Amino acid sequence: MTDKKNDPRIIVALDFPSSDSALQLARRLDASQCRVKVGKELFTRAGPALVEQLQQMGFEVFLDLKYHDIPNTTAQACLAAAELGVWMVNVHALGGRRMMGAAREAIDKASHRPLLIAVTILTSLDSDELHEIGLSGSPADNVLRLARLAESAGLDGVVCSAKEVSTLRQVVADNFQLVTPGVRPAGAAVGDQKRVTTPQEAMQLGSSYLVVGRPITQAEDPLAALAAINASIEGEKIPG
Ligand code: C5P
């Protein structure tokens, strides 16, 4: 893994429908200033070949496929991601302790060990929907419970919104990675994000890494947008 000195905090979400468009954007970025995130749509269309190309260009990749299956299947999928060489991979905490533990064990055996992160509760779910699927308590209660479970199952961190960061920081270890999407530089278009936080606020609250998509990918000059975000968080304390 990159040493702490060159451990960029920004993960650019490559939410593109094709390999060509994702690579076109990646060529306009600088791998020393960010990581990139490849999610379900892009991976389903472009596959491991794209991940390899991005890595050859020097980018470390967060493979955001949110695995959720029986322990053995999830573990093997995480091992495949580790062998592909990705920097970070994620699973759903709702798959349970044994599933998360199996994933942890599988990637520990790989020669390259990615960071293993959990998704707690999808931010798209409201209280009514949680109750409908049989989860009592508020979304915040569930996020807290599942983050603790992920930590105790040996995971490296969770994806969480900025509004959850300070509460989570009080209950998890400093080196437990809190990866935060929904970040918008002051003045940027909010798009479909409901609650947004500036990159600086998110870091001050205790986020470890920030996922930023459209404010960079749709910018006239993506590298300048990235550099401005990096400048806005320079000097902020890095957890752990
Ligand atoms: O373009 P934007 O900055 O809104 O992109 C945010 C990225 O983070 C997208 O890839 C989105 O799927 C992801 N994400 C999110 N909210 C979550 C989890 C993931 O916006 N709760």
Side-chain angles (χ1 to χ4, degrees), residues 52-168:
E52 279 162 357
Q53 273 175 290
L54 290 166
Q55 291 176 161
Q56 276 159 18
M57 291 165 72
F59 290 99
E60 291 192 311
V61 175
F62 170 15
L63 190 61
D64 181 19
L65 298 183
K66 302 185 181 71
Y67 297 126
H68 186 177
D69 211 310
I70 59 171
N72 182 61
T73 303
T74 302
Q76 294 308 315
C78 288
L79 177 60
E83 289 174 352
L84 183 56
V86 305
W87 165 72
M88 180 180 275
V89 62
N90 59 0
V91 299
H92 271 284
L94 284 169
R97 178 188 296 281
R98 276 193 306 118
M99 187 205 78
M100 289 191 276
R104 161 86 291 149
E105 251 178 63
I107 63 174
D108 281 348
K109 285 188 205 123
S111 55
H112 162 83
R113 179 193 175 297
L115 290 169
L116 179 61
I117 302 289
V119 174
T120 56
I121 295 292
L122 293 171
T123 47
S124 52
L125 293 173
D126 61 21
S127 296
D128 289 344
E129 284 178 293
L130 277 192
H131 297 160
E132 194 175 35
I133 58 170
L135 290 176
S136 55
S138 67
D141 295 338
N142 281 280
V143 167
L144 202 58
R145 190 186 70 254
L146 291 167
R148 282 184 159 133
L149 178 65
E151 189 179 35
S152 78
L155 267 67
D156 297 304
V158 290
V159 180
C160 66
S161 79
K163 78 180 176 70
E164 296 157 352
V165 168
S166 11
T167 319
L168 286 175

Side-chain angles (χ1 to χ4, degrees), residues 13 15 37 123 181 184 193 211-215:
D15 293 323
K37 180 171 89 68
T123 47
R184 288 288 178 273
Q193 295 284 5
V211 176
V212 187
R214 288 160 290 181

